[in-house]
Structures are given as C-alpha cells and as structure tokens.
Amino acid sequence: MSEALTEIRGHSAVAPAPLLSARGLCFDAGGQRLINEIDLDIWPGRCTVIMGANGSGKSLLLRLLHGLITPTDGTISWLGQPLDGAARQEQAMVFQRPVMLRRSVAANLRFALTVLGIRGAEGKAREAEAITLARMDALKDQPARVLSGGEQQRLAMARAMISAPRMLFLDEPTASLDPASILAIERLIQEARGSGTTIVLVTHDPGQARRLGDDLIFLHGGRIAETGPVEQVLEEPTSEAAQAWLGGRLFVPSESKTQYHKGV
C-alpha cells in the first residue's frame, strides 16, 4: 500500500515546519484542570510517542489534538492554520478498543471508503489492498464483531490507513494483545510510517517506544514533564516523574506541583 498512499498523499515526507502544533493547550472538567499549558510540535514523517502513568492525560491529549473534544484554552494548528474539519479529514485515529460496525470485514473497509467518496474500481482496488495489507483475505467475509481482539485491531488499522492519512493517532493499539498480534500491529504502523504518514502513538511499553518512535513526550499530571529523542528520555531521563515511572517507582511530588486546578 505504500506506493498508493504516497501517490494519494502527494506531499514530501520532509517539511520545514511542524505538521501539527499546540500552544497553551488546556482542558478542564469537573472544575479541575486535566491538561495544563501544553506546548508541542509534531514533525512530519516522524513517530512521536506519548508516555506517562495512568491518569497523566495521554488519551485526553490525543483526543484534543485530533479535534474530538474542544480545549478549554489554547490553540491547535495544522500546517500553521487553525485545526478544522478539512484538517481532520487528513487525519485518522485508532482507539485501544476498536469500534466494529455490524457488518463483514470487507464491508467495514467499504464503509470507510464510501465516507471518503471513493467508489467504483478505485474503491474495490483499495479495499482489496487493505485486506491484503492486514492479512485478512481469509476473513474478509466474516462478521467483524466475531473477530478476536487482535484481528479487530488489525482491521481498525487497515480501516484507518485506507484513507491515506497524513497523520495517524494511535491510542495504545496493542494493549492486552498477545505477542503475535502486537507484531502484526507494529508491522502495520511501520507500513504507514514508510508511506510517509506521521504517527502519534500512546504506549506504556518502552520496548515498543524504542522500536517505533523518534520523539518522546512524557506526561505527568496533565503537563509535559519531559520531551526529547526516544532513546535519550528512556535511557537518561532528567525529570523526576520519568525517572520514577521508568524505575517502577511511585512519584508523588508536592501538592503545589500536582494540583492544576482551573485558574492556577
């Protein structure tokens, strides 16, 4: 699928400016600030990994960046312009628990193409290509909802990639999967990356971060505690939060550093 994706996308994998940026990004809920003053840049053609303890705001940040929820404050830019519906059409997202339509594997892919307005010979060709890419030829007529967890996630990946997105958000796509399924999903991520798709990956697995990532953003308490090249952050973390998490220790800083309530 790499040649097709590159042809459809029609842009260079290297650009002089970030593909997506956030400045002063905040999100409040229930009177509490869950995402606080986040500044970040996602560079085209790279894989940015987001890590942190449970509850640090990883999935919430992903949904904000993809435009699924509206920030309380701050801005999100796509190619230097405000994130809008047109920009979101150049993105795709795969969740930890994939949502399968009540139809066959092939029909799930066909529905995604129909939404994109792709029908006829091109639609059939891209559907077949996606089925082969996900190694689901023998399962194409099976109801998607009876597939195993790993098979459903492969289908979710193929369904997201069929749109040839410029950016692919992945929220712990291999959580709770067996090693063979993890390998299959990572192969699809590498395929997307090889086609020029920019990847933003949430994971708890340092090994997966090393295998797939270029840049790492470490979150703690809704803030960016540390950021840098993957190997640098994993091997020589400078923040107390990253040091504790990577060392399997509980990090409990002073209350003044962790209570990010609205207006603070």
Side-chain angles (χ1 to χ4, degrees):
M1 183 175 284
S2 59
E3 293 182 3
L5 293 181
T6 302
E7 181 180 351
I8 293 163
R9 188 173 294 105
H11 71 97
S12 173
V14 179
L19 186 55
L20 183 144
S21 298
R23 294 291 180 268
L25 193 64
C26 299
F27 182 76
D28 301 334
Q32 191 170 20
R33 179 144 288 181
L34 304 179
I35 295 293
N36 193 26
E37 293 292 333
I38 283 185
D39 296 336
L40 59 78
D41 294 315
I42 306 296
W43 296 88
R46 297 178 69 80
C47 177
T48 298
V49 177
I50 301 176
M51 302 186 78
N54 289 337
S56 60
K58 302 182 300 297
S59 295
L60 182 56
L61 177 58
L62 221 61
R63 284 159 173 76
L64 284 165
L65 295 177
H66 188 34
L68 295 180
I69 54 178
T70 302
T72 302
D73 201 1
T75 61
I76 302 172
S77 302
W78 177 260
L79 292 172
Q81 301 297 318
L83 183 70
D84 57 15
R88 287 189 59 204
Q89 289 182 0
E90 296 191 80
Q91 305 171 356
M93 184 166 178
V94 175
F95 298 90
Q96 180 178 342
R97 295 180 179 83
V99 177
M100 297 286 105
L101 302 177
R102 294 180 182 274
R103 55 193 74 185
S104 69
V105 167
N108 265 264
L109 295 169
R110 201 173 306 129
F111 177 82
L113 290 168
T114 300
V115 171
L116 295 169
I118 300 172
R119 299 178 175 83
E122 181 185 357
K124 290 180 180 179
R126 290 178 63 177
E127 176 188 322
E129 191 176 9
I131 289 172
T132 299
L133 179 69
R135 299 181 181 179
M136 305 192 80
D137 297 82
L139 300 171
K140 64 181 181 180
D141 296 322
Q142 292 291 320
R145 293 194 173 187
V146 304
L147 299 176
S148 69
E151 290 166 346
Q152 287 191 0
Q153 198 64 295
R154 276 159 49 202
L155 175 56
M157 284 290 300
R159 191 172 57 190
M161 291 170 65
I162 207 170
S163 67
R166 294 184 72 173
M167 180 170 286
L168 180 57
F169 295 98
L170 303 171
D171 190 3
E172 296 192 65
T174 60
S176 303
L177 297 185
D178 60 53
S181 295
I182 292 173
L183 181 63
I185 297 301
E186 290 189 358
R187 181 184 64 83
L188 288 170
I189 295 171
Q190 290 167 336
E191 177 74 22
R193 171 91 183 273
S195 300
T197 297
T198 300
I199 306 294
V200 184
L201 169 68
V202 169
T203 181
H204 278 100
D205 183 353
Q208 185 170 80
R210 288 187 174 93
R211 290 190 295 273
L212 300 174
D214 298 303
D215 310 305
L216 195 154
I217 297 171
F218 191 89
L219 294 184
H220 177 76
R223 290 182 182 267
I224 294 180
E226 186 169 353
T227 185
V230 167
E231 285 295 336
Q232 176 182 306
V233 176
L234 293 180
E235 294 299 326
E236 299 180 354
T238 59
S239 66
E240 292 181 79
Q243 290 170 358
W245 188 80
L246 290 166
R249 294 179 282 109
L250 180 64
F251 176 57
V252 184
S254 65
E255 183 176 349
S256 63
K257 292 182 181 180
T258 57
Q259 298 301 311
Y260 304 136
H261 295 289
K262 186 176 181 180
V264 176

